[in-house]
Amino acid sequence: MANKVRTRFAPSPTGYMHIGNLRTALYAWLLARSSDEGTFILRIEDTDQERYVEGAVDLIYKTLADTGLVHDEGPDKDGGCGPYIQSERRGMYKKYAEELVEKGAAYYCFCDKDRLEELRAIQTASKVPPKYDGHCSRLSKEEIQEKLASGVPYVIRQKIPQEGTTSFHDEVFGDITVENSTLDDNILLKADGLPTYNFANVIDDHLMGITHVIRGSEYLSSTPKYNLLYEAFGWEIPKYIHCSPVMKDAQKKLSKREGDASYEDFINKGYLKDAIINYIALLGWSPGTEQEIFTLDELVAAFDVSGISKSPAIFDVNKLNWMNAEYIRKLTIEEFTEKAMPYYKQAVKRDVDYNLLSALLHDRTEKFSDIPENIDFIDTLCDYDTELYVNKKMKTNEEVSKDALEKILPVLEGLTDWTHDAIHDALFALIESLGVKNGVILFPLRVAVSGKKFTPGGGVEIAELLGKEETIARIKKGIEKLA
């Protein structure tokens, strides 16, 4: 097992899948898939019951399934290393904590809450970094046995060497060495018998044969303590791959409160899942080429840990918009219509040719949530300002536009065939007969039928979409407004 790559994604069920979490899952999945017979494991870390959110586990399953990051082992796929839900493993940690006590790498701590709070207060007042003072590590065997026999509540703490250094190698950040004196004797096993997050991680990763640990760089500071545990047990240390955070800008992390931090948020904003995964892959990883658009299979082929950057990744929503638009353009009109339909229904209540509408929007849409605002004129023409008709580039003003609409009206009223080509040919025949620039006729038509300066498609396309009766009514209204 040790020779084959085994990665894991170990989320806590505390809500929607954060973008940083999804990137960790993606990199772990890519590393497993890019290796011969690699295994990607899903482990649910739910020991922090206070933060547990009902339904969050189902969301984790759904997100991984939606994005194609299918796990090989997990709570629903036993590969022989289960249970894969941490709370169901609670009975197995105590013996490992007690083994560390026997080895001298951990100790029973009987300090109550009052003593710990007093210690912290003294350290804070002295401007000393708060950490446990090792008081219980100096108890005699007799004192320990007496307290255990008396039923005094205890935790088990890791015993960090007082002197020397601990080093580890990270595949991204290289060799890192810390002074042992800076490390705290953290709790491994809590008074209720449950392990702390850091202890459970080490035990579970070893028992599940994890060879590569991919996680956020916020865990770099904890890694020396993990290594001391591995060494105390005599276990092989996995390869570490720490990823720098995803930032909104140079100072600010992505924020759940601002609705820009979860996969679900982006799906609800009208982004395509393939575009989201493609973009997330490039947040802090480079393939070493100019290629930016990748299928999942292409990412598997290109992925290499050496491409992961030490620098924080800036989440550029404009870049995501561009990438999403590239994916949207790959959709057929029918696929586009299917995905756009919920947004059409938000903005349009009247009968329209949706495929015709999709043809107008297909190459002009960055994300589907933009659609309602772009087509809100279809149902109801807003009470627009006639200054919209003034356009220096098109050489139009209110007077020119009124004249144009008055000339357009009889031409369109006379049409018996209301198709794009018929409308187009009639209007261009009018333009030719008047000897004017196209915009002198077409721009006032666009404003009259939409009440907007910018629309998906021009006046011809909008007229075709609205139908003859509505188009004629809006042109007449335009003439009245300009009178």
Side-chain angles (χ1 to χ4, degrees):
M1 185 153 53
N3 295 327
K4 293 175 182 175
V5 170
R6 287 174 65 83
T7 66
R8 49 79 164 171
F9 176 51
S12 298
T14 57
Y16 288 127
M17 181 86 77
H18 190 277
I19 286 298
N21 263 6
L22 185 55
R23 185 186 63 169
T24 300
L26 174 61
Y27 288 177
W29 183 88
L30 287 172
L31 181 56
R33 290 292 172 269
S34 62
S35 310
D36 289 338
E37 298 184 57
T39 303
F40 174 58
I41 296 164
L42 173 63
R43 186 171 76 222
I44 304 297
E45 302 200 336
D46 63 343
T47 50
D48 189 350
Q49 289 295 311
E50 288 182 10
R51 295 177 63 224
Y52 180 84
V53 173
E54 197 66 42
V57 173
D58 291 334
L59 265 174
I60 292 166
Y61 284 131
K62 182 179 182 298
T63 302
L64 293 180
D66 281 355
T67 53
L69 307 183
V70 180
H71 53 281
D72 304 299
E73 294 180 23
D76 57 338
K77 296 179 184 177
D78 191 355
C81 297
Y84 295 86
I85 296 177
Q86 213 166 55
S87 60
E88 295 176 9
R89 301 169 65 82
R90 61 188 300 164
M92 67 177 65
Y93 301 107
K94 187 176 182 181
K95 72 170 185 176
Y96 288 102
E98 289 174 342
E99 183 182 332
L100 288 174
V101 173
E102 289 173 21
K103 290 174 179 286
Y107 57 91
Y108 295 103
C109 175
F110 303 93
C111 293
D112 59 22
K113 187 179 177 183
D114 290 341
R115 181 183 186 276
L116 294 175
E117 285 180 354
E118 183 184 352
L119 174 63
R120 179 175 285 269
I122 292 169
Q123 290 172 332
T124 302
S126 307
K127 296 184 178 178
V128 174
K131 57 182 282 193
Y132 183 64
D133 61 357
H135 171 75
C136 287
S137 68
R138 296 185 286 274
L139 294 176
S140 67
K141 283 185 178 180
E142 292 74 24
E143 288 173 304
I144 294 168
Q145 286 305 319
E146 183 185 333
K147 289 180 183 292
L148 289 174
S150 302
V152 177
Y154 67 87
V155 298
I156 293 180
R157 288 184 182 272
Q158 184 174 6
K159 189 172 186 178
I160 303 288
Q162 294 296 297
E163 299 175 349
T165 60
T166 298
S167 301
F168 69 95
H169 178 78
D170 181 77
E171 300 297 308
V172 177
F173 289 86
D175 292 324
I176 296 175
T177 299
V178 298
E179 296 287 335
N180 289 335
S181 59
T182 65
L183 302 177
D184 197 1
D185 285 5
N186 286 128
I187 295 170
L188 302 178
L189 200 73
K190 294 179 280 190
D192 60 5
L194 277 176
T196 55
Y197 173 83
N198 289 332
F199 185 51
N201 256 284
V202 169
I203 304 302
D204 291 345
D205 284 345
H206 170 71
L207 294 179
M208 292 183 182
I210 302 302
T211 60
H212 295 70
V213 173
I214 300 180
R215 60 184 171 222
S217 58
E218 65 268 25
Y219 292 105
L220 271 171
S221 60
S222 301
T223 303
K225 290 178 276 191
Y226 298 153
N227 271 23
L228 287 169
L229 291 174
Y230 279 109
E231 288 168 1
F233 282 119
W235 294 342
E236 186 175 348
I237 297 171
K239 289 191 175 182
Y240 296 119
I241 301 159
H242 288 88
C243 303
S244 291
V246 180
M247 309 288 286
K248 190 165 188 175
D249 53 43
Q251 287 81 36
K252 209 171 166 191
K253 287 187 176 182
L254 284 180
S255 162
K256 281 187 179 181
R257 289 181 184 174
E258 293 178 27
D260 55 10
S262 82
Y263 169 77
E264 207 75 18
D265 290 328
F266 287 106
I267 289 295
N268 292 337
K269 286 179 181 179
Y271 291 94
L272 294 171
K273 61 180 176 65
D274 291 340
I276 297 171
I277 286 293
N278 190 159
Y279 182 67
I280 289 173
L282 300 174
L283 279 176
W285 171 78
S286 170
T289 66
E290 296 299 310
Q291 185 177 346
E292 292 187 291
I293 305 296
F294 289 86
T295 64
L296 212 47
D297 285 343
E298 287 171 334
L299 282 173
V300 170
F303 188 74
D304 192 282
V305 169
S306 63
I308 298 176
S309 171
K310 294 180 189 177
S311 304
I314 304 296
F315 194 99
D316 183 352
V317 73
N318 293 323
K319 183 69 177 285
L320 174 60
N321 288 344
W322 167 81
M323 188 170 283
N324 199 60
E326 292 291 308
Y327 274 86
I328 284 175
R329 281 192 275 277
K330 291 180 179 180
L331 300 174
T332 64
I333 292 296
E334 291 72 25
E335 288 170 336
F336 182 93
T337 301
E338 182 184 342
K339 293 184 183 299
M341 192 59 71
Y343 302 94
Y344 288 162
K345 295 293 188 185
Q346 282 179 37
V348 180
K349 300 296 182 276
R350 58 185 295 178
D351 287 334
V352 294
D353 184 333
Y354 289 117
N355 281 336
L356 189 58
L357 184 56
S358 292
L360 299 184
L361 292 164
H362 185 250
D363 292 341
R364 296 175 173 87
T365 300
E366 283 193 330
K367 58 184 186 295
F368 287 102
S369 56
D370 294 336
I371 287 175
E373 186 181 354
N374 288 331
I375 63 172
D376 57 4
F377 65 87
I378 293 175
D379 265 11
T380 307
L381 185 67
C382 66
D383 186 23
Y384 61 89
D385 196 306
T386 55
E387 282 187 11
L388 281 181
Y389 286 104
V390 180
N391 190 309
K392 287 182 181 178
K393 185 180 177 184
M394 298 298 179
K395 295 185 167 49
T396 63
N397 55 32
E398 293 178 9
E399 185 183 343
V400 168
S401 296
K402 179 174 177 290
D403 182 60
L405 293 179
E406 286 173 341
K407 287 183 169 62
I408 291 169
L409 184 59
V411 170
L412 295 186
E413 282 180 325
L415 284 180
T416 55
D417 179 18
W418 197 262
T419 62
H420 178 277
D421 289 348
I423 299 167
H424 176 278
D425 292 349
L427 290 174
F428 275 80
L430 174 63
I431 290 166
E432 189 175 349
S433 70
L434 294 174
V436 295
K437 296 281 189 182
N438 294 351
V440 172
I441 294 296
L442 299 180
F443 184 73
L445 175 62
R446 181 204 292 256
V447 174
V449 294
S450 69
K452 292 174 178 276
K453 187 177 285 189
F454 303 107
T455 55
V460 173
E461 289 79 16
I462 295 170
E464 180 191 12
L465 186 69
L466 292 174
K468 182 174 181 179
E469 185 180 338
E470 183 67 17
T471 299
I472 297 299
R474 292 188 181 192
I475 291 172
K476 286 180 177 177
K477 190 170 183 178
I479 294 170
E480 285 175 21
K481 287 176 77 75
L482 290 165

